[in-house]
Amino acid sequence: MDDEPLICEPGGGGLILPLFGDDEQRWDPHFRMVIYLLGLLWTFLGVAIVADIFMAAIEQITSKTKAVETHDGNGESRTYYVQVWNGTVANLTLM
């Protein structure tokens, strides 16, 4: 095996974490675990907010309707409002 220290030990490191170098690796592991968990939950909350805004935009786009005018044999015309998008196809396409 390598004599290289683990990421969570002083002298070890990953691509991003630890943010504060060897000083952070000397902190209590339980404290670091809580800090990393809070950061992970904060990130998930941000993703959830962005996804919610995106889905609201998709619903706004796919709820559009257009007026279609039809004429019957008596010369009368009727106006119907139909959806522009098929809801299932629109959601799958825009996602």
Side-chain angles (χ1 to χ4, degrees), residues 33-49:
M33 180 176 60
V34 169
I35 294 297
Y36 291 159
L37 181 63
L38 289 174
L40 184 65
L41 292 175
W42 184 263
T43 303
F44 284 158
L45 180 65
V47 170
I49 291 170

Side-chain angles (χ1 to χ4, degrees), residues 58 61-63 84-95:
I58 288 176
I61 292 169
T62 58
S63 67
V84 176
W85 289 81
N86 176 327
T88 304
V89 174
N91 282 332
L92 292 174
T93 303
L94 293 173
M95 290 178 98

Side-chain angles (χ1 to χ4, degrees), residues 8-56:
C8 57
E9 296 175 348
L15 293 175
I16 298 174
L17 297 174
L19 294 174
F20 303 108
D22 284 345
D23 291 336
E24 179 181 333
Q25 293 171 331
R26 291 184 184 92
W27 296 351
D28 179 44
H30 294 100
F31 175 71
R32 288 176 62 196
M33 180 176 60
V34 169
I35 294 297
Y36 291 159
L37 181 63
L38 289 174
L40 184 65
L41 292 175
W42 184 263
T43 303
F44 284 158
L45 180 65
V47 170
I49 291 170
V50 169
D52 187 48
I53 292 170
F54 182 70
M55 286 305 295

Side-chain angles (χ1 to χ4, degrees), residues 45-91:
L45 180 65
V47 170
I49 291 170
V50 169
D52 187 48
I53 292 170
F54 182 70
M55 286 305 295
I58 288 176
E59 289 174 6
Q60 185 71 27
I61 292 169
T62 58
S63 67
K64 297 292 183 196
T65 59
K66 69 176 181 175
V68 176
E69 191 172 324
T70 60
H71 301 283
D72 61 5
N74 298 333
E76 295 180 17
S77 65
R78 290 187 156 207
T79 304
Y80 296 99
Y81 293 94
V82 295
Q83 289 188 323
V84 176
W85 289 81
N86 176 327
T88 304
V89 174
N91 282 332

